[in-house]
Amino acid sequence: MPTRPSSTPASRFLQLLLVIVITCAVPGVRCSDRRFPHLDRVRELQRREGSSSAEQEAAARGLLARLLPSHSTSFEFRVISTVIKRCECTKQMLGVSGVEISAGFHWYLKHYCTAHISWYKTGGAQLSSIPHPGSLPRVPDGGVLIQRPIGWSYYQNAVTSSYSFAWWDWERWEKEIDWMALQGINLPLAFTGQESIWQKVFQRYNISKSDLDDFFGGPAFLAWSRMANMHGWGGPLPQTWLDDQLALQKKILSRIYAFGMFPVLPAFSGNIPAALKSKFPSAKVTHLGNWFTVDSNPRWCCTYLLDASDPLFVEIGKLFIEEQIREYGRTSHIYNCDTFDENTPPLSDPNYISSLGAATFKGMQSGDNDAIWLMQGWLFTYDPFWEPPQMKALLHSVPVGKMIVLDLYAEVKPVWINSDQFYDFEMYGILDALASGPIDARLSDNSTMVGVGMSMEGIEQNPIVYDLMSEMAFHHRQVDLQVWVETYPTRRYGKPVKGLQDAWWILYQTLYNCTDGKNDKNRDVIVAFPDVEPFVIETPGLYVNTRQMYSTMPSKNYIGKDSSSDAYDHPHLWYDTNAVIHALELFLQHGDEVSDSNTFRYDLVDLTRQVLAKYANDVFLKIIESYKSNNMNQVTILCQHFLNLVNDLDTLLSSHEGFLLGPWLESAKGLARNSEQEIQYEWNARTQITMWFDNTETKASLLRDYANKYWSGLLRDYYGPRAAIYFKHLLLSMEKNAPFALTEWRREWIRLTNKWQSDRKVFSTTATGDSLNISWSLYIKYLSNADPLELEGTGSPGKSASL
């Protein structure tokens, strides 16, 4: 979920280890030791109302045909009603649902054929290691039994729909649902098209399409308008968008149900359009607070919230559930609703909180008597408002077994540990936590855990993390990571290469071993440029107190300012960069052995990007240090060096499809029905990845640089020019012997941003260049020279002492 960029910008891509906990109000009783009649009934309804065995088998066969058409007759899929402990078959996949047999198929490919499945953008599927039909490896006599230790495997975050899915068509959704089935995911969010349902509900209250134009956000910002963080930004939504997305949602749900998954539909949280207040003047309606606008402009912020005590609350909640069931023809009886997500409730009184929770659930239950409320637990981590009395009031407002809570950030800060079980683009990961966390949660005292899952805000990155986490849904014991990591590159690249195994062992111990609990993972200078006066930025060996600087520095350009509101946080570094550079060296030395592997090329580009991004952070600090030392020649050389590095990184990123800006923009335009929509959708796409929400001429949006995309095109056309503006003002400050012109820097940066967002330049959708050759050349240019930042004359900078 978006978080305050200045304090906790973190979890956007990396909420991975998700522990699903059901509210259990009986102390000292393990959920596994008692029955939950509500859950048992819903599971029975899901079995009874779900797709037939034949339909689920057909879904699995369709997946096989799309993934591995050459082996379409090599496997037989069969849905059975109960688990068989032994099977005298060699190529049958048996399971209690289409998801189970698809996940079993993936398990076989992964552990018997050393294959690897990841998203297309992260290299796609490595299937070259799978033998030809007729030569497939045999499983042990009697077959292999893989059972989930716990029932549900959840997927998505409420904002993934905007950060990653915003512009998807059916072709892309079909691939994603296949990926979900292979990973064993059976409890995915299904948020597409809900604005059309809301339109139908609000029409019953004489609220027109035009009344909703300032309520729904634009296509790239729907997640935040749904959560009442904002309204109208990027809109209005054309009617064709509403209609097309509803049709797409029906196709998505049809396929999800065909696999035997249980889609989680949205529910009403109290978020209403302004028109409802005018049509019902006696309704109890309040304004929510400002959510990160520059000047609290009510045009975008401070949405209206219908009070839970108002009779309309339950009525609207009921209608919304009923309208979804009517439109879609079925339901899995599980509904997501996140009350006050990054919005603090107006009252802290536990009685108020309890009434809010009760009314929210009553709205669901009135529309579906068997409703289960699923909520994200992010608010408990994010907002200090939620102390134990408030948490308890909310979670106890619903009957036992009727609420499921997602411990959304459990790989870093597991809330379940400290909450009485809820009252009964950076290379990053914590593999150790993923390998043990689900096991620890399930076996803990008073465990109320009913599933695991992944709730990253943006997908298509860090494939090793998702490969491990999805597998944890089927492990009963902690995974031996030494063995798992050792075999990972063999599966990932299709052949064993000792040097690459050594490299991945280093990466496991460094990049994928972040244990300091910090949130700010991807705040590298290139993609999150500091909006501060230079003296605010601490540099090694120099004064960090601006008053001391003022008293000791003779030139006017050294007058610092107390900029507590603009405090600059250095990019987070939790590992030995020299070790990671050595891993890159191993990638380069052994790259020829797997150079035809798309998965290898993705990893090589990503690793080179990671190393050079950290190197760029050091170059930037050297620039600031040289500025403070009044060494204009060195500032000039280093600034140009930084800009050259940005352009070189753009060239590197252009060599793999997973790092291109073009597909994001073209897919946005591809959903438009006319030229006007094309302009609107492209603006939405460009704005979301740069500076979104409001800004003035000299005040940048508080939600700038949130997505942090390392995409070719974005670096060369936006991040580089932005840095050049800052460096221009650094040099002007030194030339004029005057303070850094912070306001003018902001004015030019914001002007650049607004112009870029409205531009129509077309970017490539296909990769160009050889990743291995480009990576080698950048390694030689920037990393192989000795101590390059210790400049002598006009020497060329390279590897810094801190790398």
Side-chain angles (χ1 to χ4, degrees):
M1 318 300 298
T3 52
R4 297 183 186 274
S6 60
S7 57
T8 57
S11 40
R12 65 183 140 290
F13 296 120
L14 295 157
Q15 294 166 340
L16 303 168
L17 194 172
L18 171 61
V19 175
I20 302 177
V21 181
I22 187 168
T23 55
C24 180
V26 182
V29 177
R30 293 175 58 89
C31 282
S32 56
D33 296 334
R34 57 165 291 158
R35 292 185 60 78
F36 287 88
H38 302 306
L39 275 184
D40 289 342
R41 172 168 171 75
V42 166
R43 289 189 177 110
E44 177 57 33
L45 284 172
Q46 289 172 342
R47 284 191 290 269
R48 189 189 319 154
E49 299 170 355
S51 301
S52 67
S53 296
E55 187 177 2
Q56 296 186 51
E57 291 165 1
R61 286 195 300 271
L63 185 160
L64 170 61
R66 290 184 291 274
L67 179 70
L68 202 61
S70 60
H71 290 66
S72 58
T73 61
S74 298
F75 299 93
E76 180 183 344
F77 296 136
R78 188 152 61 93
V79 172
I80 56 177
S81 58
T82 58
V83 174
I84 298 176
K85 293 194 174 182
R86 293 185 64 81
C87 174
E88 304 300 331
C89 52
T90 57
K91 63 175 185 177
Q92 273 195 335
M93 299 292 166
L94 310 181
V96 297
S97 73
V99 172
E100 307 307 303
I101 54 180
S102 300
F105 172 56
H106 182 204
W107 189 279
Y108 175 79
L109 295 181
K110 185 174 184 177
H111 296 285
Y112 288 87
C113 302
T114 60
H116 179 80
I117 307 290
S118 70
W119 291 292
Y120 169 76
K121 281 194 173 183
T122 59
Q126 185 292 108
L127 306 175
S128 62
S129 60
I130 301 174
H132 296 298
S135 303
L136 291 169
R138 293 182 62 85
V139 299
D141 291 342
V144 176
L145 175 64
I146 305 296
Q147 285 182 290
R148 296 180 188 268
I150 206 146
W152 280 325
S153 182
Y154 174 83
Y155 176 54
Q156 292 182 40
N157 184 300
V159 300
T160 320
S161 57
S162 290
Y163 277 131
S164 294
F165 306 161
W167 313 114
W168 284 6
D169 56 14
W170 168 244
E171 181 181 3
R172 180 60 185 87
W173 265 111
E174 183 175 52
K175 290 181 173 65
E176 190 70 9
I177 297 170
D178 282 352
W179 181 88
M180 287 159 47
L182 290 165
Q183 312 304 321
I185 292 163
N186 58 12
L187 192 68
L189 281 185
F191 273 15
T192 302
Q194 64 177 278
E195 282 68 33
S196 183
I197 303 295
W198 281 119
Q199 182 185 40
K200 295 174 187 296
V201 169
F202 286 129
Q203 280 175 346
R204 301 192 184 193
Y205 297 95
N206 295 319
I207 295 175
S208 66
K209 168 68 170 62
S210 60
D211 290 331
L212 296 173
D213 282 348
D214 68 348
F215 179 60
F216 298 140
F221 303 99
L222 288 176
W224 300 280
S225 67
R226 292 166 181 170
M227 295 186 295
N229 299 136
M230 59 196 288
H231 61 92
W233 179 258
L237 288 180
Q239 186 62 47
T240 54
W241 172 274
L242 297 170
D243 297 341
D244 289 348
Q245 290 292 295
L246 180 61
L248 178 60
Q249 170 75 334
K250 290 179 179 179
K251 295 184 75 171
I252 292 168
L253 289 175
S254 178
R255 183 62 58 82
I256 285 176
Y257 282 123
F259 273 110
M261 299 177 188
F262 315 120
V264 179
L265 297 174
F268 179 57
S269 64
N271 182 24
I272 59 169
L276 190 74
K277 182 178 185 299
S278 63
K279 294 184 183 299
F280 295 88
S282 62
K284 297 179 182 178
V285 177
T286 59
H287 255 129
L288 288 173
N290 180 26
W291 188 79
F292 299 136
T293 61
V294 169
D295 53 7
S296 300
N297 188 340
R299 182 182 177 187
W300 314 119
C301 81
C302 313
T303 54
Y304 286 105
L305 180 76
L306 181 64
D307 193 278
S309 64
D310 193 287
L312 273 176
F313 193 102
V314 173
E315 182 181 309
I316 293 174
K318 174 179 182 290
L319 288 175
F320 183 66
I321 297 297
E322 289 178 339
E323 188 62 39
Q324 287 187 103
I325 297 173
R326 181 181 300 108
E327 193 72 44
Y328 303 144
R330 63 202 299 187
T331 178
S332 66
H333 307 288
I334 302 177
Y335 304 94
N336 169 260
C337 181
D338 296 313
T339 55
F340 299 108
D341 193 275
E342 299 193 4
N343 282 310
T344 301
L347 298 175
S348 61
D349 182 0
N351 291 327
Y352 170 80
I353 301 297
S354 181
S355 67
L356 171 68
T360 301
F361 178 68
K362 187 176 180 182
M364 298 179 206
Q365 192 177 39
S366 298
D368 178 359
N369 190 54
D370 296 298
I372 299 286
W373 178 4
L374 180 145
M375 68 169 289
Q376 297 186 152
W378 175 242
L379 72 169
F380 301 139
T381 298
Y382 171 81
D383 193 341
F385 169 91
W386 294 98
E387 296 182 349
Q390 287 72 36
M391 289 176 64
K392 185 174 183 178
L394 179 61
L395 298 174
H396 276 195
S397 65
V398 178
V400 175
K402 285 283 190 175
M403 176 185 280
I404 298 171
V405 180
L406 309 178
D407 195 349
L408 211 65
Y409 203 22
E411 85 275 18
V412 176
K413 296 179 180 179
V415 177
W416 65 266
I417 291 176
N418 299 314
S419 60
D420 291 341
Q421 293 285 337
F422 289 114
Y423 303 100
D424 317 337
F425 259 90
E426 179 87 350
M427 293 181 74
Y428 159 83
I430 315 175
L431 297 186
D432 286 334
L434 301 186
S436 61
I439 312 302
D440 294 341
R442 179 169 54 84
L443 299 179
S444 65
D445 291 339
N446 292 335
S447 176
T448 56
M449 179 175 168
V450 294
V452 295
M454 301 176 286
S455 57
M456 54 285 203
E457 295 194 355
I459 64 168
E460 299 173 324
Q461 31 76 24
N462 289 294
I464 188 174
V465 177
Y466 303 105
D467 191 34
L468 175 61
M469 189 58 228
S470 61
E471 191 176 302
M472 292 308 300
F474 299 94
H475 282 293
H476 293 248
R477 302 181 199 81
Q478 182 173 336
V479 171
D480 185 339
L481 277 181
Q482 181 170 351
V483 174
W484 196 93
V485 172
E486 183 177 312
T487 60
Y488 176 77
T490 300
R491 292 187 287 104
R492 178 90 172 139
Y493 309 134
K495 64 173 71 171
V497 179
K498 179 62 167 61
L500 295 178
Q501 290 175 329
D502 293 341
W504 271 105
W505 186 253
I506 294 171
L507 298 181
Y508 158 54
Q509 295 176 311
T510 52
L511 294 176
Y512 295 105
N513 188 34
C514 182
T515 58
D516 60 14
K518 292 184 179 179
N519 291 332
D520 52 337
K521 301 303 183 294
N522 186 13
R523 304 302 293 171
D524 292 323
V525 171
I526 291 176
V527 297
F529 205 84
D531 176 28
V532 293
E533 190 272 349
F535 278 110
V536 173
I537 302 170
E538 298 180 11
T539 51
L542 295 176
Y543 288 117
V544 295
N545 185 299
T546 56
R547 292 182 180 178
Q548 287 178 313
M549 287 177 182
Y550 177 68
S551 65
T552 58
M553 300 297 181
S555 319
K556 290 183 180 179
N557 66 301
Y558 291 104
I559 298 177
K561 73 185 187 74
D562 182 6
S563 184
S564 58
S565 63
D566 297 326
Y568 168 61
D569 293 327
H570 284 247
H572 183 208
L573 187 64
W574 66 93
Y575 57 86
D576 178 0
T577 51
N578 281 314
V580 176
I581 290 175
H582 180 54
L584 175 59
E585 292 167 349
L586 291 172
F587 265 70
L588 293 170
Q589 291 165 8
H590 298 275
D592 285 336
E593 300 179 55
V594 289
S595 60
D596 60 341
S597 165
N598 194 30
T599 47
F600 171 77
R601 290 195 299 272
Y602 173 88
D603 292 343
L604 175 64
V605 171
D606 203 22
L607 182 55
T608 308
R609 176 210 56 77
Q610 176 81 14
V611 169
L612 290 179
K614 301 307 175 188
Y615 167 75
N617 294 341
D618 278 359
V619 175
F620 178 78
L621 288 181
K622 190 68 177 181
I623 291 170
I624 300 302
E625 184 181 69
S626 301
Y627 172 84
K628 293 177 180 179
S629 300
N630 208 22
N631 188 335
M632 189 168 183
N633 181 56
Q634 195 162 342
V635 170
T636 302
I637 294 169
L638 285 169
C639 286
Q640 188 57 54
H641 183 67
F642 185 97
L643 297 177
N644 290 342
L645 174 58
V646 172
N647 285 336
D648 284 343
L649 266 174
D650 192 278
T651 300
L652 170 74
L653 298 172
S654 70
S655 68
H656 194 279
E657 292 81 357
F659 299 96
L660 301 180
L661 169 64
W664 172 254
L665 300 183
E666 293 305 310
S667 60
K669 291 186 286 184
L671 295 184
R673 292 289 197 92
N674 54 50
S675 58
E676 182 181 355
Q677 290 179 14
E678 188 174 294
I679 292 171
Q680 178 191 5
Y681 295 178
E682 183 174 1
W683 182 91
N684 267 251
R686 285 171 173 261
T687 300
Q688 192 213 79
I689 60 175
T690 51
M691 183 188 294
W692 60 277
F693 224 0
D694 59 341
N695 61 263
T696 67
E697 287 188 359
T698 57
K699 291 181 180 179
S701 166
L702 300 177
L703 291 176
R704 60 188 180 268
D705 292 340
Y706 193 72
N708 299 147
K709 304 287 191 182
Y710 275 100
W711 281 347
S712 175
L714 190 57
L715 270 71
R716 190 179 299 273
D717 273 38
Y718 180 70
Y719 291 143
R722 176 177 64 179
I725 295 171
Y726 190 89
F727 295 154
K728 179 187 76 172
H729 285 288
L730 274 183
L731 291 168
L732 284 173
S733 168
M734 301 181 81
E735 289 175 4
K736 296 178 179 180
N737 200 26
F740 180 83
L742 186 63
T743 299
E744 287 307 308
W745 135 251
R746 287 174 176 164
R747 189 188 308 276
E748 290 189 49
W749 163 35
I750 294 169
R751 189 184 304 130
L752 166 75
T753 303
N754 292 337
K755 181 180 179 181
W756 191 88
Q757 290 169 348
S758 299
D759 198 19
R760 303 300 310 282
K761 178 178 177 180
V762 175
F763 294 87
S764 176
T765 57
T766 57
T768 57
D770 183 273
S771 301
L772 185 56
N773 288 338
I774 296 171
S775 184
W776 259 120
S777 66
L778 297 186
Y779 171 82
I780 293 169
K781 180 176 182 179
Y782 294 106
L783 302 171
S784 63
N785 297 330
D787 208 7
L789 293 188
E790 294 299 326
L791 292 182
E792 296 181 5
T794 58
S796 174
K799 180 179 174 183
S800 72
S802 65
L803 285 178

